Amino acid sequence: IYRSISGVATDKDQACVTIMDVPDQPGIAARIVGGLAKKAIVVDMIMQAFHPTAGLNNITFTVASTDLPQTIKTLEELKTEMGAKAVHADEDIAKVSLVGAGMAGQPDVAARLFETLGAAKINIKMISSSEMKITCVVSRGQADKAAKLIHDAFELEKV
Amino acid sequence: IYRSISGVATDKDQACVTIMDVPDQPGIAARIVGGLAKKAIVVDMIMQAFHPTAGLNNITFTVASTDLPQTIKTLEELKTEMGAKAVHADEDIAKVSLVGAGMAGQPDVAARLFETLGAAKINIKMISSSEMKITCVVSRGQADKAAKLIHDAFELEKV
Ligand SMILES: C[C@@H](O)[C@H](N)C(=O)O
Ligand SMILES: C[C@@H](O)[C@H](N)C(=O)O
């Protein structure tokens, strides 16, 4: 059933940041990510999903933990320039990702992944998925346990 | 510079849904995605990024446009069961994705992608990225224009 899944990968060296209530207008995402690119900050797991207020948005992403201070500083400057509300950071994160070539069109895969963590009372802080990868962000202290449970649930080797 | 980028892909056959203000507790993501999996609804682009209120979260994802009515019905039932606030849907979407094996560690790639759309005044409704793919969701009517601009900016062939 799960032959298309190749493994589980863990990354415990990142932190997560969100710039809150940015204007939802063309060019804003470019200014934010461009401002970080100028500082050679590598941005991963960019997420802009939903904001209940029309005209506003939140942009979330992860960076290497060592880049967090510079990231926050840069985002605070951008916040002031564009009139965003706040910059929020969470250092207590780890990415635990299920990786596979053929997960598209298999609704049970994501369900089983989330059930595996839910049954163990591991809270999922963030989620990002594509056809090739489903990433759950959990508290860093739970990453190894989460990876082991997923490995067992899907009968995998760790990548 | 951009040899690791293989192309731009467009998907105009999806709709986007968000279940708002779900309890941020273990097992909740499993119940939501599991409930849809039971109806054989294929869920793509799952995103759970940020919620300003501790203890709550939003989960957003895309489905085939033809699955939208069943998705909304299922989510409304789950909303009632778990005490979530609302189900929000947006049918006016298209995914425009930059695909490439080696985009990780290249901060300029995402910046250039967003600048290309921003300069054309194309609003980016949602963003999801991994090392292999950066997906921008735009209004469906702008998808072809967005893909062409990205194709030109990165000197690509469409996948
Ligand atoms: C909101 C939802 O993702 C919840 N945190 C869970 O772990 O299932
Ligand atoms: C919020 C931000 O993504 C904005 N919508 C943009 O297009 O740049």
Side-chain angles (χ1 to χ4, degrees):
Chain A
I1 272 188
Y2 297 119
R3 272 175 221 151
S4 59
I5 297 176
S6 51
V8 61
T10 307
D11 185 340
K12 296 196 273 185
D13 299 325
Q14 293 193 335
C16 159
V17 272
T18 298
I19 181 165
M20 292 166 60
D21 293 3
V22 300
D24 189 21
Q25 296 161 15
I28 289 292
R31 279 171 67 188
I32 292 166
V33 173
L36 294 163
K38 280 201 189 78
K39 309 263 169 86
I41 294 171
V42 173
V43 165
D44 187 24
M45 208 174 163
I46 305 169
M47 293 202 279
Q48 175 183 310
F50 177 79
H51 195 295
T53 306
L56 295 179
N57 231 319
N58 300 319
I59 304 183
T60 299
F61 50 88
T62 59
V63 294
S65 297
T66 47
D67 282 340
L68 186 62
Q70 175 82 311
T71 299
I72 292 172
K73 179 165 178 290
T74 307
L75 289 180
E76 288 282 356
E77 290 165 11
L78 286 160
K79 176 198 95 179
T80 303
E81 278 174 36
M82 58 178 55
K85 177 174 181 171
V87 176
H88 170 88
D90 186 354
E91 289 198 69
D92 178 24
I93 67 151
K95 298 196 305 183
V96 182
S97 305
L98 192 65
V99 184
M103 294 195 296
Q106 292 193 53
D108 305 328
V109 174
R112 176 178 280 213
L113 175 64
F114 301 154
E115 279 154 15
T116 300
L117 299 185
K121 300 278 180 275
I122 293 172
N123 198 46
I124 304 169
K125 291 183 145 194
M126 291 169 33
I127 302 168
S128 180
S129 83
S130 64
E131 289 117 341
M132 305 271 301
K133 185 153 70 157
I134 306 172
T135 296
C136 292
V137 170
V138 299
S139 174
R140 191 169 291 152
Q142 304 209 293
D144 292 343
K145 178 180 178 191
K148 169 106 184 58
L149 288 165
I150 294 165
H151 165 269
D152 293 347
F154 287 89
E155 296 166 37
L156 296 172
E157 294 311 313
K158 289 209 183 80
V159 297
Chain B
I1 273 189
Y2 296 119
R3 273 176 218 149
S4 59
I5 296 176
S6 51
V8 61
T10 307
D11 185 340
K12 296 197 269 184
D13 299 325
Q14 293 192 336
C16 159
V17 272
T18 298
I19 181 166
M20 293 167 60
D21 293 2
V22 300
D24 189 22
Q25 295 161 15
I28 290 291
R31 280 171 67 185
I32 292 166
V33 173
L36 294 163
K38 280 201 188 77
K39 310 262 169 88
I41 294 171
V42 173
V43 164
D44 186 24
M45 208 173 165
I46 305 169
M47 293 203 280
Q48 175 183 310
F50 178 78
H51 195 295
T53 306
L56 295 179
N57 231 320
N58 300 318
I59 304 183
T60 299
F61 50 89
T62 59
V63 294
S65 297
T66 47
D67 282 340
L68 186 62
Q70 175 83 310
T71 299
I72 291 172
K73 179 166 179 292
T74 308
L75 289 180
E76 288 283 355
E77 290 164 11
L78 286 161
K79 175 197 94 179
T80 303
E81 278 174 36
M82 59 178 53
K85 176 174 181 171
V87 176
H88 171 89
D90 186 354
E91 290 197 69
D92 178 25
I93 65 151
K95 299 196 305 182
V96 182
S97 306
L98 191 65
V99 184
M103 293 194 299
Q106 293 192 53
D108 303 328
V109 174
R112 176 177 280 213
L113 174 64
F114 301 154
E115 280 155 15
T116 300
L117 299 184
K121 299 277 180 277
I122 293 171
N123 198 45
I124 304 170
K125 290 182 148 196
M126 290 168 32
I127 302 168
S128 180
S129 83
S130 65
E131 289 116 343
M132 307 272 302
K133 186 153 70 158
I134 306 172
T135 296
C136 291
V137 170
V138 299
S139 173
R140 192 169 289 151
Q142 304 209 294
D144 292 342
K145 178 180 177 191
K148 170 106 185 54
L149 288 164
I150 295 164
H151 164 270
D152 292 346
F154 286 90
E155 295 166 36
L156 297 172
E157 294 311 314
K158 289 209 182 80
V159 296

